[in-house]
Each structure stands twice: as C-alpha cells, then as structure tokens.
Amino acid sequence: MTGADFVMLSLVPLVIGTLAAIACALPGNFLLLRRQALIGDAISHVVLPGIVVAFLLSGRVAAVPMMLGAGAAALVSVVLIEAIRRLGRIEPGAAMGVVFTAMFAGGVLLLEQSAASGVHLDVQHALYGNLESLIWLDGYGWGALVDGAALRGLPPELMRMAVVTLVVVLLTALFWRALVIATFDEGFARTLGLPVRALSLGLVAVAAAAAVAAFDAVGSIIVIAMFICPPAAARLMTDRMGGQVAWSTGFAVLSAVAGYVLAGYGPIWLGQSSAVSAAGMIATVSGVILGLAALFGPRRRGLGAKQGG
Amino acid sequence: MTQEAMTMLPEPVRDRLVDESPLAIRGLTVSYGEKPAVFSVDVSFRAGKMTAIVGPNGAGKSTLLKAALGILRPLSGQVTAFGHPLDEMRARIAYVPQRASVDWEFPARVIDVVMMGLYRELGLLGRIRPRHRARAMDSLARVGMEGFATRQIGQLSGGQQQRVFLARALAQGADLYLLDEPFAGVDAATERAIIAVLKGLRDEGRTVVAVHHDLATVPAYFDRAFLLNVTAIAEGPVAEVMTEANLRAAYGGRLGPAQQAV
C-alpha cells in the first residue's frame, strides 16, 4: 500500500477508531472501579432509539440532535425502570434488563423504518459502525495533511470524535483528584464537601457523550468493548491510579490500531480475499489483550482470590 | 430549641444559647425503611474529650454518625459543628469510615490514600509540594506506618489498613475526629497504637468521637460515653453513663455476663 492509498483509505478510520477507543476507555476506568462497568453497555443499548428518532426527525447524522435524542432516551429509560420496579414490584436488576433490551429492540425496529424511508442508517451500522467507509477522498497523500482544501474534505465524523475525545480528556484531568477520592471512598468524599452525586452523574454523562459520539462512527460493539476491556486489562498491570489510566489508554490505542490493521490485512495474509469487520476485530483484539493481561499481568493477585488480612 | 424560635430571641440571649459543641445534633431521625434506625436523637459532644458511642448491634451508631456528617440523608434534624452549620466547618472535621466500607484492591498506594486527606487544602488542581508530602509522611509516622508509604493498600493487613485511614484523618489537621468502629477486626498492637494516637489528639485539645463495640474497654479508652439504642439513652462521663440501669435500657436482656461486670 502506498502512502497515498494509506492516507486516503486508512488514516481517518485509524484515527477515529483510536479516538473513540480513548474516549470510552477513560471514563471506563472509573466506571470499572465503581463496579458500574456495565453502565457503558447499558448506555449503548438505551440510546439507540433516541439516536434513530433524532436522525429521522432531523434527516441527517449530526452531533447535536443525536446527543439530544440519546439524552431523551436515557431519561425515558430511567423513568421506565423506576415505573416497572414500583408497579411490577420487581427487583431493580430485572427492571433494568427489561428496559435495556426493550429500548434496543425498539431502536432496531425504528432503524428498519428509517431504511424504508431511504436514508442511510441500518442495523449493521448500529452494531459495526461504518469505520471502513470513512475514507478521505481528498487525501491524495501525506501532503494533504497540510493542504487546507483537502482538509476541508475530511469526514465530519473525525472532527466530532476529536472534539468529544478532547472534552473527555480535559474533564478527566480537571476533576481527576475529586473523581479518584469519590470513587475510592464515597463517604469520606462527602465529608470533604465534595459534590459526590454531581460527580457520578457527570461521569455517566461523559461516558454517554463518548458512547454517542463513538456510536455513529464505530458502532456499539467497540463502544461496549472499550468501556470495559482496556480498563480491566490495565487493572492487572499496575497498582496506581495514574498507571491504571495510562495503561488503559495504551491498550485502547493498541486495540484500535492492531484491530484495524488485522481486519484489513489479516485475512489477506491468511490467503483470503476480503477484509473482515474492523469494529469486530478491534473489540476482539481488546478482548485478547484482556486475556493476556489476566494470564501474565504482574498484578493478577487479589482479584477474585482476596488476600488474607 | 428550633431554628425559628432562635431567630426570635434578642441577639445577646441567642449567642449564649448557641451550642458551641464541636458536634451538636438536634432531633435527628433517620430511616432506611418504615422503622427508624435513629429516632429523635439530641446530643452534644463535649469539646476536648474522647467520647464513645455505644449501643447494641443495629442501635444506629454508625447511622447517627453518617447522618450527622451528611453521608446519609436524615428524615429530620439539625446538626451544627462548633456552633455553625456543618457545611461551613468541614475543614475542621475528619471522618474515619469503617474499614470494610471501601474496596482495598483499588489501585492506590498508602501514600496516595493519606494524601486524600489534603484535598481541602490542595483543591482540584493545586500542586503537591514537598511540605504536603512531608505532612502525609508525618501522619503515617504517627501511626507507625512510615515504612509502608509505597505499598499497595491491598497488601496491608486489616490493622495496617485501619492505621492508614487514621493517618489520612491526621493529615487533615482537624479539630474534631469522628471514627466509625476504629477497632473492628484489628490486631492488639494496632488497637494500642490507635488509642495512643487518639489520646494524643485529645491531649492537644481536640475532640474525638468514636463508635465503639467493646463495652469492656470503654472506661480505659474514653472519657465520656453516649449510650444509644435508636433513641438517645444517656450521655456523660463513662462512670455516670455506664450504670446497670442505663445498660439494661440500651441492651435489654442481651447483655452478657462479661459486659455486666463493667
């Protein structure tokens, strides 16, 4: 593959995949340590109908309506869970399970309506994203990176993902100290006067924003995998919070890059003619990394088998 | 006296009536379900003293502490610290939660946990300077844990973890220390070390209030006792509070012979 081919076909998907992986893995660390890792999973299920409705109403895939739709869907879910729990006298876990799957299924049905209306967004798109199709037609070579005209032809998904990732990184850095304390010891955090509730709501909101932004480009499979796999693997590598976040970011980047390359070239190396889904491969690589960390990570002790004392 | 009634009084009278106690609780009721865990409790803890909160299991001892600190939301009640609303006095209050309330597999070293006690000083983005680190190390030394600063907290024994929590509170440099079961599941050496530190704080004029389980050690460890069983039963010097009648009122028939001997 020549430089020009690479810039036109692979550079943008690689960068978007990497940004999406980082944006999800960062809040994923805190969710994992708060034993709320499945919130990422929940978010990506629940927001689907909201995104589809926003898409049908606005007629385009744009950041603001998508976020609004996702937020509305999340609110509806919270109300539904509470209503089912109270009216049906069911335990919260069961109520959540019902609402998450119902919301996702509703989203899938809505998607089919959108396919009928002739706009492009389908079930496959929701699961796998459309990473491979994010090509940069004006990217004629490395020179295009400094060519204003060519840069204007970059897929809009790139800018959207870059902005969201930047916001996630900045918020994580800004609230780092408070987030770490509130995550480790919520009661103590309250006695310091920290707004514990606002912090956890903010964390979930940031995770949701990352999920929604990543959703369109890379699909929900990557979103779910990146919320959990890199942070969980990082947990097996270090005993410090800074190290935890650094390792998870490294694993997220590695998953995105290695997954994309393997999806594009792996089958060819194996003598097959066509590439496989990049989203699926990225999620798989992140799972393999977690498996390796579980087998060989230096800090495996303690998790599962609690130390005496 | 209620807040509204207070405001109707002339200022000189009001000032004399304001409870300057490090922690004054008025009409505190907390409920998890239908039955209250703590019911209409009034208590003021004496400044410069060590007070044990004692009572049977399920008496609401931890709940009282948590609700007073705003960790739990009470149904009703008012809490003042040093004569001011609690939220204004947070910098002067240090809280040591139950050791089992956190996940010790959290990726943090001993020194990282102790540094959390400096949050109010450092804020979100304040730079950690050598004097901050020195204060954290000094706090660790006071509980005999200076050699463990870079250990992962999950590698510590229960007693060592409890000392780390106490060191974090010491780093806060507070005037009021509230501890929830500081001796639960710790070794004898740790118990001695902790009580020595707490008595040291008291001798510096600071106030210590601890939820305590072991009636037998109350007279040796504490100056005062607050007997609680959902409602307040008695508060005062240990000898005056731990009478047979009071203990019977708090514990009912559940008092074992060893405890009756106190």
Side-chain angles (χ1 to χ4, degrees):
Chain A
M1 186 182 243
T2 65
D5 280 349
F6 175 79
V7 171
M8 189 182 292
L9 299 176
S10 292
L11 182 64
V12 172
L14 256 179
V15 173
I16 290 187
T18 305
L19 290 172
I22 295 173
C24 292
L26 277 180
N29 282 299
F30 292 98
L31 293 175
L32 181 87
L33 290 168
R34 288 164 174 251
R35 304 186 186 275
Q36 299 177 330
L38 282 176
I39 278 189
D41 196 341
I43 290 169
S44 56
H45 277 81
V46 153
V47 297
L48 182 64
I51 292 175
V52 178
V53 168
F55 174 65
L56 288 175
L57 290 179
S58 69
R60 62 206 166 93
V61 179
V64 175
M66 265 176 29
M67 294 283 183
L68 289 176
L75 273 178
V76 168
S77 308
V78 172
V79 172
L80 276 179
I81 289 170
E82 206 45 36
I84 291 176
R85 199 170 68 81
R86 297 229 171 135
L87 297 176
R89 296 189 168 274
I90 298 174
E91 56 137 341
M96 285 183 207
V98 169
V99 170
F100 293 165
T101 41
M103 291 292 278
F104 193 70
V108 169
L109 288 178
L110 278 169
L111 269 180
E112 290 186 330
Q113 301 310 306
S114 85
S117 72
V119 266
H120 111 103
L121 194 71
D122 53 31
V123 178
Q124 234 175 336
H125 184 135
L127 288 176
Y128 309 147
N130 61 347
L131 207 45
E132 292 92 338
S133 69
L134 296 173
I135 51 177
W136 186 16
L137 290 173
D138 300 324
Y140 50 78
W142 290 108
L145 285 175
V146 288
D147 181 339
L151 286 175
R152 270 192 290 282
L154 277 170
E157 285 88 346
L158 179 64
M159 201 56 196
R160 199 183 302 156
M161 199 65 242
V163 168
V164 170
T165 307
L166 186 68
V167 170
V168 171
V169 170
L170 287 178
L171 286 175
T172 307
L174 181 61
F175 291 103
W176 175 265
R177 209 169 263 164
L179 263 175
V180 171
I181 296 177
T183 300
F184 172 61
D185 190 344
E186 193 181 307
F188 177 73
R190 273 186 202 272
T191 65
L192 291 176
L194 284 174
V196 169
R197 232 187 132 64
L199 279 170
S200 44
L201 280 177
L203 176 63
V204 172
V206 163
V212 172
F215 170 84
D216 170 49
V218 301
S220 56
I221 289 180
I222 293 191
V223 171
I224 295 170
M226 288 304 140
F227 269 123
I228 299 178
C229 290
R235 190 62 206 86
L236 300 161
M237 303 301 292
T238 174
D239 276 337
R240 299 188 60 178
M241 196 57 203
Q244 164 78 28
V245 168
W247 275 103
S248 74
T249 308
F251 284 150
V253 172
L254 181 65
S255 306
V257 174
Y260 185 80
V261 170
L262 279 177
Y265 306 104
I268 298 170
W269 295 334
L270 292 175
Q272 310 253 316
S273 55
S274 59
V276 297
S277 149
M281 188 56 88
I282 291 173
T284 305
V285 170
S286 74
V288 169
I289 290 175
L290 175 56
L292 290 174
L295 288 174
F296 305 111
R299 295 289 179 269
R300 288 180 300 130
R301 55 122 199 99
L303 305 173
K306 221 173 155 79
Q307 275 220 322
Chain B
M1 180 169 294
T2 64
Q3 206 78 47
E4 302 88 84
M6 289 278 286
T7 54
M8 292 167 70
L9 293 167
E11 203 159 331
V13 179
R14 192 167 71 216
D15 283 350
R16 255 181 289 137
L17 282 172
V18 168
D19 195 333
E20 295 290 338
S21 157
L23 189 67
I25 295 169
R26 290 286 163 268
L28 192 75
T29 297
V30 192
S31 173
Y32 293 112
E34 277 134 52
K35 267 183 85 179
V38 168
F39 184 71
S40 191
V41 167
D42 289 336
V43 64
S44 292
F45 294 103
R46 194 67 64 86
K49 298 284 181 196
M50 281 176 73
T51 306
I53 302 179
V54 248
N57 285 329
K61 306 183 292 288
S62 298
T63 303
L64 177 85
L65 216 53
K66 285 182 187 159
L69 283 165
I71 297 171
L72 289 176
R73 193 187 295 265
L75 281 180
S76 62
Q78 285 162 358
V79 179
T80 58
F82 304 100
H84 295 270
L86 186 99
D87 275 329
E88 293 169 18
M89 290 289 117
R90 294 227 179 255
R92 295 177 65 186
I93 303 171
Y95 169 61
V96 180
Q98 277 182 25
R99 185 169 55 85
S101 67
V102 305
D103 173 16
W104 290 91
E105 293 301 334
F106 193 87
R109 299 165 308 166
V110 166
I111 188 76
D112 301 327
V113 172
V114 178
M115 292 293 293
M116 290 178 187
L118 297 170
Y119 178 81
R120 287 197 65 95
E121 230 167 286
L122 290 166
L124 272 181
L125 299 170
R127 254 233 339 264
I128 296 168
R129 296 178 189 285
R131 68 185 154 88
H132 295 121
R133 222 173 280 280
R135 230 174 67 213
M137 285 307 292
D138 181 53
S139 303
L140 271 178
R142 284 171 74 181
V143 299
M145 290 285 291
E146 67 273 32
F148 293 81
T150 56
R151 275 298 176 88
Q152 205 275 329
I153 51 174
Q155 297 174 342
L156 305 177
S157 73
Q160 291 168 331
Q161 289 171 348
Q162 189 66 56
R163 292 193 211 192
V164 171
F165 261 7
L166 181 57
R168 179 177 69 178
L170 292 175
Q172 287 180 264
D175 296 314
L176 169 63
Y177 289 80
L178 299 166
L179 303 92
D180 197 348
E181 302 256 12
F183 307 115
V186 306
D187 52 286
T190 295
E191 186 158 335
R192 278 195 300 276
I194 291 176
I195 204 68
V197 169
L198 297 182
K199 284 185 169 168
L201 289 170
R202 187 256 329 260
D203 295 342
E204 291 169 13
R206 301 173 205 267
T207 308
V208 176
V209 176
V211 171
H212 191 54
H213 224 85
D214 181 11
L215 287 180
T217 51
V218 171
Y221 288 176
F222 294 92
D223 309 314
R224 300 172 71 86
F226 172 47
L227 204 49
L228 175 78
N229 189 2
V230 184
T231 56
I233 290 167
E235 198 279 337
V238 171
E240 289 171 27
V241 169
M242 307 274 283
T243 61
E244 210 190 315
N246 280 341
L247 289 173
R248 201 170 297 284
Y251 287 80
R254 278 183 283 169
L255 206 57
Q259 287 162 327
Q260 276 175 350
V262 173

